[in-house]
Amino acid sequence: MHTLYYLAAGPFAIAAFVLLAGGSLFRLVRMGLLARKKDPAVFDYMSARYGFRSLFHWLVPFGSRGMRLHPALTIASFLFHVCAIVAPVFLYAHVLLIDESWNIAWVHIPDGAADAMSLVVIAACVFFLVRRMKSPEVSYLSTWRDYAVLALVAAPFVTGLWSFHQFPGFRYAGIIHMLSGELLLASIPFTRLSHMIFFPITRAYMGSEFGAVRNARDW
Amino acid sequence: MSQVALKKETPVSDDGMLKGAAKLTPEKIRETVRKVLDGETGARLKTYAAMCARCGMCSDACHFCLSHDRDPAWSPAGKVKRTIWELVRTGGKVDAEFILDACRIAHTECNLCKRCAMYCPFGIDVAYMMLVMRRICHKLGVTPQYIQDTAHSHSATMNQMWVKEDEWIDSLQWQEDEAREEMPNLRIPIEKEGADIMYSVIGPEPKFRAQLIYQAAVILNASGVDWTMPGTPGWDNSDMCMYTGDNEMMGRLKRAHFDTAVRLRVSRIVMGECGHAFRSVHDMGNRWLGYRQPPVPVIHAVEFYHEILKQGRIKIAKKFEGPVTLHDPCNIVRGHGLHEMAREVVRLTCDELIEMHPNREHNYCCSAGGGVINCGPPFKTSRVVGNRVKAEQLFAAKARGAKTVVAPCHNCHGGLEDIIHHYGLGMDVKFLGDIIYSCMEKPE
């Protein structure tokens, strides 16, 4: 168990960050080069004004008609995305770890807030799971990958709470927390989670096509 | 854990598709799919396939899905799953049966209306993916017979309806003769170099709806603009090849159209009330030819009517009686944002406008566009049944008093007429040109 801990705390963590940063960069550059070669129109039509206009409407809760048609999903999605990013990045324990390792520190949030945010993430994951299973228009499209991604996202939050509050078996939970978190980070560029890196581009492109060519809104 | 769709398949009865599919071999399918996916598509398809979160939000966008009680097999992502994703996943290892089904989905159950791009949080362009599917079908020789016939006509005559060159000129002179009984000084100037406007129409106008040329001639003459119509191939602005995946022909057609305008040294092209033709000159054909925007400015009829009404070039004698409702054609609304202009023209010419909801960019397609009506009788029922939501919209407008539907697009006309007939709605469909022609002051 000690070996696993040292692996998770050392080489695996480094590998996860390298895969996240390197993988994202690699995928972005590769897609950019491919677009330059095969879809050059993407660069011609991309417009900062209309791209940001579209992004703005899609980053504001209820900014699009689709979001207004599904208030529960919209609220769950926005809370999920905000909490899933803010809680781990500004958690005191994480900030401290990074400060001790690399001497870089930033602000942190109170532990109570991080707890609440983790619970929100887990609740949203349950909501997504139920929706994926029960809603025909989602279940029809779902494969094991979609369920796996959901589990992958939920795991670090469940185990994080578990180990922080020292529930029974928290030592194991701590190691699973580290491993699942690392797996999550490393898988972002290579799974459906890649929408993290591609969303701003595809949305901005559609916004540009609608705005600059079609003279219409896309939200 | 995924649920089986409710969708019931009806066997394909289209001869063109069946005969094409009978000639397929697994090797040919695989090789063609690879050639298109590897050779012609790139970052867009790859990114869309990789990032779609399978969230199902596109279901709200599609009139086919909504009209089938949200059956997921009809949702945009559901249709992509049953076509392109499977080809990407298997690398083209599918059988002729699959291609037949994929062809039916891409050609007759998606109008390429792009409404789903406004409902997908990521802005995934399903219409683009359906066009890639149609391109693969085209290369495999599996395309619905009726639309393929129009594509053949485009290849042989550069117009959609097998209209011969002398028949074209004859039709113009015939309409000129007819219209001169009403307006003795009226001319349809053919091949007038240096005119301000080249007026172009779609093939079906001389073929079936010659009165539209008559009406346009009256409006153009009365407005006193300097205009002409070409006497050579290149007069037809329509483009079914754009919808069959025959991109090479799409390019040739658009080049012929633009070249004709350049040869006539006109300063702009004004086109009739057609949606898909506008898409082909403004968005797809020009892009294939490498033009970011059309090389000659192209003005849609709605813009032109707006211009001449606003400038007072034509006057409305008496507004059109009875409330009307306005159908927003996808290709000029989601395709060019002409919804407010169209409303202004309606308000200038009609007594009262009753809105359908949702409208403007969020309109429901007529279910005829994207080449679907051009696939002909074998698919008429699925097209009309697949747009119950439009019938409900029309019915709601009728309940509030609208007797007439104004639809500034040819395909929408055909689609709406079929819907009105099928659901027994008893409404009239009119072009803006019909209304302007009937309400304007006509010079003696």
Side-chain angles (χ1 to χ4, degrees):
Chain A
M1 202 172 114
H2 283 267
T3 324
L4 200 56
Y5 174 82
Y6 284 114
L7 277 174
F12 285 1
I14 302 290
F17 284 120
V18 168
L19 279 169
L20 171 65
S24 299
L25 196 66
F26 171 74
R27 295 224 51 191
L28 274 175
V29 169
R30 199 154 153 257
M31 281 300 181
L33 291 174
L34 188 61
R36 182 58 79 195
K37 196 172 152 202
K38 292 289 181 57
D39 301 294
V42 168
F43 294 95
D44 290 327
Y45 287 106
M46 197 66 108
S47 126
R49 180 182 162 201
Y50 293 115
F52 282 116
R53 186 181 76 161
S54 177
L55 279 168
F56 173 77
H57 281 94
W58 282 92
L59 288 174
V60 171
F62 300 103
S64 75
R65 182 168 184 266
M67 290 190 225
R68 290 193 290 276
L69 291 174
H70 298 282
L73 177 63
T74 303
I75 292 169
S77 298
F78 274 89
L79 284 176
F80 166 82
H81 282 96
V82 170
C83 295
I85 292 168
V86 171
V89 173
F90 298 103
L91 179 78
Y92 181 53
H94 288 175
V95 175
L96 200 64
L97 276 175
I98 290 179
D99 191 16
E100 283 179 359
S101 307
W102 299 316
N103 215 12
I104 313 165
W106 53 81
V107 291
H108 60 85
I109 52 171
D111 286 339
D115 270 3
M117 284 183 165
S118 301
L119 287 171
V120 167
V121 170
I122 294 162
C125 285
V126 172
F127 174 83
F128 293 146
L129 177 69
V130 172
R131 183 172 178 271
R132 200 167 276 294
M133 292 197 303
K134 294 290 173 196
S135 166
E137 59 222 56
V138 193
S139 70
Y140 179 68
L141 301 170
S142 301
T143 64
W144 67 269
R145 287 164 193 270
D146 301 289
Y147 292 98
V149 162
L150 211 47
L152 193 61
V153 173
F157 291 92
V158 173
T159 52
L161 279 176
W162 198 294
S163 58
F164 182 77
H165 292 285
Q166 306 206 340
F167 296 141
F170 68 89
R171 287 180 207 284
Y172 294 100
I175 291 178
I176 298 170
H177 173 70
M178 291 157 82
L179 290 172
S180 61
E182 286 155 7
L183 193 61
L184 174 63
L185 290 179
S187 63
I188 285 171
F190 309 103
T191 61
R192 303 236 203 287
L193 298 173
S194 60
H195 69 254
M196 257 179 85
I197 47 178
F198 290 128
F199 160 76
I201 299 168
T202 54
R203 186 75 259 165
Y205 177 65
M206 196 40 79
S208 304
E209 274 220 355
F210 267 72
V213 182
R214 304 181 203 292
N215 200 17
R217 298 171 303 167
D218 67 324
W219 55 87
Chain B
M1 271 184 265
S2 57
Q3 181 180 316
V4 179
L6 308 162
K7 188 173 191 289
K8 299 235 178 0
E9 303 297 352
T10 41
V12 172
S13 62
D14 185 283
D15 253 6
M17 287 165 66
L18 289 171
K19 285 185 179 156
K23 292 180 200 153
L24 295 178
T25 60
E27 294 73 37
K28 187 177 174 188
I29 295 173
R30 201 156 66 231
E31 193 191 331
T32 309
V33 168
R34 280 202 186 144
K35 264 190 191 158
V36 174
L37 292 187
D38 297 342
E40 299 186 15
T41 69
R44 290 177 74 194
L45 186 67
K46 278 201 167 63
T47 310
Y48 292 155
M51 74 185 297
C52 172
R54 273 67 165 170
C55 71
M57 278 188 67
C58 53
S59 304
D60 287 301
C62 185
H63 50 282
F64 275 105
C65 182
L66 296 174
S67 299
H68 287 101
D69 302 321
R70 307 181 74 93
D71 181 335
W74 295 90
S75 75
K79 288 183 260 195
V80 176
K81 173 185 164 163
R82 299 164 70 221
T83 55
I84 282 290
W85 278 345
E86 194 59 13
L87 294 182
V88 170
R89 193 181 71 81
T90 60
K93 283 186 199 147
V94 294
D95 57 13
E97 208 51 41
F98 177 89
I99 294 294
L100 209 51
D101 196 38
C103 174
R104 188 193 46 212
I105 294 165
H107 263 288
T108 73
E109 295 171 4
C110 171
N111 297 97
L112 312 177
C113 77
K114 298 225 182 205
R115 195 171 187 258
C116 44
M118 303 171 63
Y119 286 75
C120 169
F122 303 161
I124 292 177
D125 191 348
V126 171
Y128 160 75
M129 290 194 269
M130 287 296 141
L131 277 168
V132 172
M133 189 64 236
R134 291 188 189 187
R135 172 75 169 164
I136 291 168
C137 290
H138 163 70
K139 294 215 148 200
L140 288 169
V142 183
T143 299
Q145 181 168 246
Y146 278 79
I147 194 169
Q148 186 57 50
D149 180 71
T150 61
H152 286 327
S153 170
H154 275 307
S155 312
T157 65
M158 301 304 273
N159 72 70
Q160 194 196 127
M161 288 282 140
W162 301 101
V163 179
K164 292 178 193 148
E165 232 172 303
D166 57 334
E167 291 172 344
W168 161 245
I169 293 169
D170 194 47
S171 302
L172 296 183
Q173 291 180 339
W174 164 42
Q175 288 311 308
E176 185 181 59
D177 265 358
E178 297 267 324
R180 281 168 79 96
E181 293 199 4
E182 192 177 4
M183 254 178 96
N185 293 326
L186 178 142
R187 290 294 318 274
I188 296 184
I190 301 176
E191 288 289 307
K192 181 182 173 189
E193 283 189 25
D196 177 39
I197 289 168
M198 175 175 109
Y199 185 64
S200 69
V201 296
I202 61 168
E205 288 205 20
K207 192 82 176 180
F208 308 119
R209 286 174 162 170
Q211 86 280 5
L212 292 178
I213 297 176
Y214 174 123
Q215 284 180 183
V218 170
I219 296 170
L220 283 153
N221 272 274
S223 64
V225 292
D226 181 14
W227 69 295
T228 185
M229 289 183 90
T232 58
W235 56 264
D236 182 2
N237 53 32
S238 77
D239 199 336
M240 280 304 127
C241 297
M242 164 177 78
Y243 286 150
T244 61
D246 189 350
N247 298 340
E248 292 78 6
M249 257 320 292
M250 168 179 74
R252 280 183 61 205
L253 291 166
K254 289 314 105 183
R255 189 180 294 286
H257 189 58
F258 293 138
D259 283 357
T260 305
V262 170
R263 180 177 60 74
L264 290 172
R265 296 188 286 109
V266 295
S267 50
R268 54 194 182 143
I269 299 171
V270 171
M271 51 192 299
E273 291 178 61
C274 183
H276 95 275
F278 192 79
R279 181 191 190 122
S280 79
V281 292
H282 180 72
D283 186 359
M284 291 180 61
N286 55 315
R287 208 181 280 207
W288 175 266
L289 291 173
Y291 296 118
R292 194 174 185 281
Q293 295 288 326
V296 181
V298 182
I299 314 288
H300 189 268
V302 168
E303 293 171 285
F304 180 67
Y305 297 150
H306 184 262
E307 178 186 311
I308 55 176
L309 281 166
K310 279 281 171 190
Q311 290 177 354
R313 284 175 168 272
I314 51 171
K315 302 245 178 330
I316 298 301
K318 188 172 181 301
K319 282 191 172 185
F320 188 80
E321 279 179 27
V324 302
T325 186
L326 174 69
H327 168 75
D328 288 298
C330 306
N331 282 325
I332 62 164
V333 167
R334 252 189 308 287
H336 196 43
L338 295 184
H339 39 278
E340 296 307 341
M341 234 179 232
R343 275 167 181 73
E344 214 166 322
V345 173
V346 168
R347 279 192 284 267
L348 288 169
T349 54
C350 300
D351 267 347
E352 190 188 348
L353 169 64
I354 291 179
E355 288 283 1
M356 287 189 273
H357 297 280
N359 55 34
R360 295 176 169 86
E361 288 103 328
H362 288 278
N363 73 318
Y364 292 130
C365 169
C366 63
S367 204
V372 174
I373 195 170
N374 308 75
C375 293
F379 304 100
K380 184 179 169 187
T381 307
S382 79
R383 157 167 68 81
V384 175
V385 171
N387 207 358
R388 195 186 68 211
V389 288
K390 189 87 230 174
E392 288 165 0
Q393 261 194 331
L394 290 167
F395 184 75
K398 192 188 174 187
R400 289 164 55 216
K403 295 183 183 70
T404 305
V405 190
V406 179
C409 166
H410 286 90
N411 268 349
C412 296
H413 256 245
L416 294 175
E417 273 163 8
D418 289 339
I419 288 171
I420 287 167
H421 180 72
H422 179 87
Y423 294 94
L425 298 174
M427 298 170 90
D428 288 332
V429 188
K430 291 208 180 292
F431 288 103
L432 279 173
D434 293 331
I435 294 196
I436 295 173
Y437 168 76
S438 67
C439 299
M440 66 192 269
E441 278 177 16
K442 296 186 188 83
E444 293 299 316

